[in-house]
Structure formats: C-alpha cells, structure tokens
C-alpha cells in the first residue's frame, strides 16, 4: 500500500504536535528526545516525498488564485 505525500505530511504533523504535547506535559527527557529525532527524520523524508511526488495539475500561473481569479474567466 502506497501512502500519498499528503498522508506523510499529516503523519509528520501529528508526530511533531505529539512532541510539543509531550514536552509541555513533562514526559521523561529520553522519550521527548527520541520522538524529536524521529520527527526531524520525518521532516526530511516528508520534504523528499513532496518534492518527488508525481503530481500534475491543469492550472497555470495565468489562473492566479482559485479563490480570487484575475484575468480570464472560464
């Protein structure tokens, strides 16, 4: 089963929010440290997956923002 790039982004965000919660609740230092190291590795992997994802769109720079179109109207 292949996990999408957005799934990796969501999982990485969950791990980093968990680190923040653990640090604020005074968990033992070694738990926070190892989850932080894991989170940093996940950030590196996340960036790699997002940049190498085979995502294609029909939008161009002429479309500008979807919520506030400027220029041509379809």
């Amino acid at each position: 089963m292949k996990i999408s790039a957005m799934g990796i982004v969501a999982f990485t965000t969950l791990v980093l929010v968990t680190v923040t919660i653990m640090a604020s609740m005074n968990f033992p230092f070694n738990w926070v440290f190892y989850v932080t190291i894991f989170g940093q590795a996940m950030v590196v992997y996340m960036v790699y997956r997002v940049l190498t994802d085979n995502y294609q769109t029909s939008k161009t720079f002429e479309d500008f923002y979807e919520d506030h179109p400027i220029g041509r109207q379809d």
Side-chain angles (χ1 to χ4, degrees), residues 13-59:
T13 302
L14 180 69
V15 169
L16 296 177
V17 168
T18 303
V19 169
T20 304
I21 292 170
M22 288 172 66
S24 67
M25 295 182 68
N26 292 328
F27 271 63
F29 174 77
N30 58 344
W31 287 27
V32 176
F33 177 75
Y34 291 126
V35 175
T36 302
I37 296 299
F38 178 69
Q40 290 175 350
M42 285 300 302
V43 168
V44 172
Y45 179 66
M46 175 189 68
V47 169
Y48 170 76
R49 281 291 302 264
V50 168
L51 291 177
T52 60
D53 192 29
N54 189 16
Y55 176 78
Q56 296 180 357
T57 181
S58 62
K59 302 288 182 187

Side-chain angles (χ1 to χ4, degrees), residues 1 4 9 11 20 23 26 34 73:
M1 180 173 116
S4 69
V9 171
F11 180 70
T20 304
N26 292 328
Y34 291 126
Q73 297 286 327

